[in-house]
Amino acid sequence: MYAEVNPLDTIVGKTGLYFKEQVEKLSGGTVTIDIQASGVLGSENDVLDSILGGGTSIDMSRISAFALTSYGAEKSKLLSIPFTFESRAHFWAFANSDLAPEFLNEPQTIGLPIRGVFYGEEGFRHFFTVKKISKMSDLKGMKLRVSNDPVMNGMVKGLGASPTVVSFGELYSALQTGVVDGAEQPIANYKSNAFNEVAPNMILDGHTLGAIQVIITDNAWNKLSEKQRSAIMEAGKLAQAYNAQISENAENEVLASLKASGVNIVEVTNKSEWADACKAVIAENTKSQAALYQKIKAMK
């Protein structure tokens, strides 16, 4: 069973479907993947809590790369630092580098019963709000939804807003009822989860690239033959390449349809004030791994 919080028509949903097809083909049908999408198995953290707590009902999950930060994964945290990746090409230079497997294998090195299979991305993440906004200072004092993540909390505070923890499954109603004034997501997920219905304003600040990874549990991995394991890893390589191929076009199509439907899309031509506002959280969360962080930054 494979957990996915977003619908199947998103970049990550399509990537999951492609991965499933490739695994089933390469394994000669001896490995089948049952994708449970749209968060039916819970949020990313619910899924990780279940897996890391010893649950065996979920075998694989697509997670945000930074989701492992709260479980002690220090390297993964670097992928969520605001304004690290300057472009998609910069991220893919990292994801296809010799450094990437070191990051994917981090759970194994810190004793978590999971392993990374492949990387992908779902586009840059942007803030969206209920009230109309036109600039960074408009976020001041707003309650912005965050997952329970120290980097995201620090970033929102740096922008002068108030970080408010709300689970992804409750975000639509939280926006609708005023529990939060806004949130942040990649463009494709913003539309597929219909957040534009309740928060029709988006500012394209692109604070972090939505790096994702697919993980498999040790419990599931240990049941596979060498041949089946090879099929999964080979399918992962193909799915990573597929994700790189579809992501930008899919996002551009979604953005065009959002503009056409009347969503207030604000372009950000100069991101330096946003990056300056995040200086403290960047410094705080990279100081223990400064050399490694600079390696990633230099890959552009």
Side-chain angles (χ1 to χ4, degrees), residues 278-297:
C278 297
K279 264 185 180 162
V281 74
I282 294 169
E284 176 62 30
N285 288 282
T286 58
K287 64 183 178 189
S288 64
Q289 305 178 87
L292 188 57
Y293 183 63
Q294 286 311 316
K295 257 189 190 176
I296 296 170
K297 289 280 284 178

Side-chain angles (χ1 to χ4, degrees), residues 27-40:
S27 70
T30 64
V31 180
T32 55
I33 292 181
D34 172 18
I35 300 179
Q36 295 291 315
S38 299
V40 296

Side-chain angles (χ1 to χ4, degrees), residues 13 95 155 221 282:
M155 176 179 66
W221 185 255
I282 294 169

Side-chain angles (χ1 to χ4, degrees), residues 14 37 41 74 79 92 97 105 118 129 131 137 145 148 157 182 188 210 220 240 252 258 272 279 291 299:
K14 288 173 182 170
L41 298 175
E74 286 294 311
L79 304 181
W92 284 111
S97 74
N105 295 332
F118 68 93
T129 54
K131 286 183 188 162
S137 57
R145 179 262 176 182
N148 198 8
K157 282 179 185 166
Q240 180 164 310
N252 288 340
L258 286 169
S272 58
K279 264 185 180 162
M299 285 180 171

Side-chain angles (χ1 to χ4, degrees), residues 157-267:
K157 282 179 185 166
L159 296 171
S162 173
T164 308
V165 177
V166 171
S167 80
F168 189 71
E170 292 166 10
L171 179 52
Y172 186 98
S173 61
L175 288 160
Q176 201 171 28
T177 55
V179 171
V180 291
D181 304 308
E184 52 84 65
Q185 278 293 306
I187 291 166
N189 298 352
Y190 168 71
K191 183 172 187 287
S192 66
N193 289 283
F195 295 137
N196 53 305
E197 294 174 359
V198 285
N201 304 282
M202 180 175 260
I203 188 159
L204 303 182
D205 66 296
H207 45 271
T208 47
L209 188 81
I212 58 126
Q213 63 175 296
V214 168
I215 55 163
I216 184 167
T217 67
D218 283 357
N219 180 60
W221 185 255
N222 292 337
K223 291 177 185 171
L224 300 172
S225 68
E226 278 304 318
K227 209 171 176 181
Q228 290 170 326
R229 289 175 181 179
S230 294
I232 282 184
M233 298 312 286
E234 185 56 36
K237 284 181 192 165
L238 294 169
Q240 180 164 310
Y242 172 80
N243 174 273
Q245 185 191 322
I246 68 160
S247 188
E248 189 164 6
N249 286 342
E251 184 179 84
N252 288 340
E253 283 172 20
V254 172
L255 187 59
S257 73
L258 286 169
K259 285 177 177 172
S261 69
V263 172
N264 171 38
I265 302 284
V266 180
E267 303 280 347

